[in-house]
């Protein structure tokens, strides 16, 4: 496993090769939880690249997280993420053509966006408590989502809307809402 400060966190399986997965952190930043998540995926055989969207900054409170995510211009994030997707797709350790992307909250919104912006690269999208809604006609991905029943940041209406748009685009969809959470 390799850490590249202020740009990406890269986790490579012991075999040295595997399918590529882009991991997009929540609004807390690329903290130890997300690095550990990447390491766990690498232990299962994946090459995982986690772009550090906040360039080394990590929030400890909701206010700090809100400030970090709000301070990032969308255009800058778009360029950074499309470059990270291209970098992962061309990494010598990645041994298949289709990539996966996993996003958490803030990162989930960007995962959904990437599945459209770089549709030719992605085949699987998994989101945790985050959505995004747009035109999925060019998407080639299957989508899996995990959501809390009572989430003040991601209402079920948004989940239902995204699920409907994906189904209308004939995408494979497996969304899970966890009651009492």
């Amino acid at each position: 496993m390799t850490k590249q400060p202020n740009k990406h966190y890269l986790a490579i399986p012991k075999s040295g090769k595997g399918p590529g997965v882009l991991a997009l952190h929540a609004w807390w930043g690329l903290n130890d939880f997300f690095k550990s998540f990447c390491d766990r995926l690498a232990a299962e055989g994946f090459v995982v690249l986690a772009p550090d969207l906040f360039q080394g900054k990590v929030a400890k409170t909701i206010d700090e997280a809100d400030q970090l995510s709000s301070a990032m211009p969308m255009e800058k994030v778009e360029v950074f993420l499309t470059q990270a997707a291209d970098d992962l797709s061309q990494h010598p350790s990645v041994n298949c053509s289709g990539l996966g992307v996993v996003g958490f909250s803030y990162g989930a919104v960007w995962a959904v966006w990437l599945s459209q912006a770089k549709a030719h690269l992605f085949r699987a999208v998994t989101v945790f408590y985050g959505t995004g809604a747009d035109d999925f006609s060019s998407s080639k991905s299957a989508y899996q989502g995990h959501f809390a029943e009572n989430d003040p940041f991601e209402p079920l209406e948004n989940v239902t809307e995204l699920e409907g748009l994906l189904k209308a685009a004939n995408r494979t969809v497996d969304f899970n809402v966890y009651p009492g959470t």
Side-chain angles (χ1 to χ4, degrees):
M1 281 144 243
T2 307
K3 180 182 176 183
Q4 298 173 345
N6 298 327
K7 188 171 182 183
H8 304 304
Y9 184 83
L10 179 64
I12 298 176
K14 287 182 182 179
S15 69
K17 299 261 184 214
V21 175
L22 203 62
L24 306 180
H25 61 73
W27 68 345
W28 303 106
L30 186 57
N31 61 21
D32 290 341
F33 168 81
F34 295 106
K35 292 174 186 176
S36 172
F37 176 77
C38 294
D39 293 342
R40 290 192 321 251
L41 288 178
E44 296 298 325
F46 295 94
V47 175
V48 187
L49 182 69
D52 187 352
L53 297 172
F54 302 149
Q55 304 298 296
K57 295 177 184 166
V58 175
K60 300 212 184 311
T61 67
I62 289 175
D63 287 340
E64 289 175 4
D66 187 38
Q67 289 173 3
L68 282 176
S69 60
S70 298
M72 291 301 298
M74 284 182 57
E75 297 80 14
K76 183 177 178 181
V77 176
E78 289 172 358
V79 169
F80 193 66
L81 288 179
T82 55
Q83 184 61 56
D86 288 340
D87 290 350
L88 180 61
S89 72
Q90 297 166 18
H91 196 281
S93 294
V94 174
N95 65 3
C96 62
S97 60
L99 299 176
V101 60
V102 179
F104 294 83
S105 188
Y106 176 80
V109 173
W110 288 109
V112 170
W113 176 82
L114 262 177
S115 75
Q116 299 160 71
K118 295 296 241 179
H120 65 287
L121 292 181
F122 291 97
R123 298 296 172 269
V125 178
T126 300
V127 294
F128 291 90
Y129 47 89
T131 64
D134 211 338
D135 174 14
F136 294 94
S137 59
S138 66
S139 173
K140 298 176 181 2
S141 294
Y143 292 79
Q144 184 180 69
H146 302 276
F147 306 95
E149 180 180 41
N150 304 299
D151 185 342
F153 296 102
E154 194 62 69
L156 285 181
E157 297 82 37
N158 294 0
V159 174
T160 303
E161 178 185 10
L162 176 58
E163 185 176 33
L165 288 168
L166 292 169
K167 286 180 177 180
N170 294 315
R171 304 312 325 139
T172 301
V173 182
D174 177 22
F175 277 9
N176 305 278
V177 176
Y178 299 95
T181 60

